Amino acid sequence: MFGDMMNMMGKLKETQQKIESTKLRLDTVLIDEKSNDGLLQVTLTANRKIKAITIDESLLEDKEQLEDYLILVLNKAIEKATNINETELAAVAKEGMPNIPGMDLFK
Amino acid sequence: MFGDMMNMMGKLKETQQKIESTKLRLDTVLIDEKSNDGLLQVTLTANRKIKAITIDESLLEDKEQLEDYLILVLNKAIEKATNINETELAAVAKEGMPNIPGMDLFK
């Protein structure tokens, strides 16, 4: 019983380390997203840090349109990043957790 | 022993439900962020969904500066949102996990 406990703690510690290294790796995963017309482009990491925003000159003529474009494209990009982030971390976390049918803490 | 197991599963299920309801609640938590000079303002939820971007007309004169402003202010806002998000979810997850000294999966 005590052996099981030590075993579980070792496994948890290992999972914790894998989670940390996965988080670091996600800093190097880049996601590109753009508006349908290609006039606005953004690049961010899978940890949702924005690396680049490129605005076409023509978008500067209409402030409201530019604001809408930014919200739309950035939200699409952030959503993609979050999906990659959660999928990667969930995969690592799941490895380290007991498999209980009907339980899915890391979906 | 089987009772303990059922107990743990019940606890996990409860935690899972609390995590889901916390995620929903975070949609209603809004974070405002702006550039030091106040010319750029953004609002996003604690789930990192951008709700509003307000660009002062004067920023439209310099595309590169605007792009830099956006990256800076958005990253600050996203970081704040992530901190709130992780703190809230970690608090819920921690409640539902056994407390093991030296282990902090949800930091």
Side-chain angles (χ1 to χ4, degrees):
Chain A
M1 188 62 190
F2 185 69
D4 282 355
M5 182 86 171
M6 292 304 285
N7 204 357
M8 192 183 83
M9 281 177 66
K11 186 92 174 149
L12 273 173
K13 194 84 193 163
E14 196 186 308
T15 301
Q16 191 178 13
Q17 283 161 353
K18 275 191 198 162
I19 287 173
E20 290 309 312
S21 65
T22 302
K23 279 183 184 171
L24 286 177
R25 190 172 56 73
L26 291 172
D27 275 334
T28 65
V29 176
L30 295 179
I31 293 127
D32 290 307
E33 188 58 65
K34 58 184 179 186
S35 56
N36 289 335
D37 56 15
L39 296 179
L40 177 65
Q41 296 173 42
V42 304
T43 303
L44 78 179
T45 73
N47 281 326
R48 291 160 296 221
K49 190 178 175 73
I50 300 168
K51 290 295 192 180
I53 296 179
T54 311
I55 300 167
D56 189 87
E57 288 280 352
S58 65
L59 289 177
L60 300 178
E61 287 158 26
D62 187 337
K63 192 173 82 78
E64 273 73 28
Q65 193 201 8
L66 173 59
E67 291 166 352
D68 288 346
Y69 259 64
L70 282 164
I71 293 171
L72 200 75
V73 175
L74 283 164
N75 277 338
K76 267 206 298 186
I78 291 169
E79 204 176 312
K80 276 192 190 174
T82 295
N83 284 341
I84 292 172
N85 190 292
E86 288 181 352
T87 306
E88 296 278 328
L89 288 177
V92 178
K94 224 167 192 168
E95 270 180 39
M97 292 289 287
N99 188 18
I100 304 172
M103 267 331 130
D104 198 356
L105 278 173
F106 301 97
K107 65 180 169 185
Chain B
M1 185 62 191
F2 186 69
D4 283 354
M5 182 88 172
M6 291 304 284
N7 203 357
M8 190 183 84
M9 280 176 68
K11 185 93 175 145
L12 274 173
K13 193 85 192 163
E14 195 186 308
T15 300
Q16 192 178 14
Q17 282 160 354
K18 276 192 197 161
I19 287 173
E20 289 309 312
S21 65
T22 302
K23 279 183 184 171
L24 286 177
R25 190 172 56 73
L26 291 173
D27 275 334
T28 65
V29 176
L30 294 180
I31 293 126
D32 290 307
E33 187 61 62
K34 58 183 178 185
S35 55
N36 289 335
D37 55 16
L39 296 179
L40 177 66
Q41 296 172 40
V42 305
T43 303
L44 77 179
T45 73
N47 280 327
R48 291 160 296 222
K49 189 176 173 76
I50 299 167
K51 290 295 191 180
I53 296 180
T54 311
I55 300 167
D56 188 87
E57 289 279 352
S58 65
L59 290 177
L60 300 179
E61 287 157 26
D62 187 337
K63 192 173 82 77
E64 273 74 27
Q65 194 201 8
L66 173 58
E67 290 166 353
D68 289 346
Y69 259 63
L70 282 164
I71 293 172
L72 201 74
V73 176
L74 284 163
N75 277 338
K76 268 207 295 185
I78 291 169
E79 205 176 310
K80 276 192 190 174
T82 295
N83 284 341
I84 293 172
N85 189 292
E86 288 181 353
T87 305
E88 296 278 327
L89 289 177
V92 178
K94 227 168 189 167
E95 270 180 41
M97 291 291 286
N99 187 19
I100 304 172
M103 263 337 126
D104 197 356
L105 277 173
F106 301 98
K107 64 179 174 188

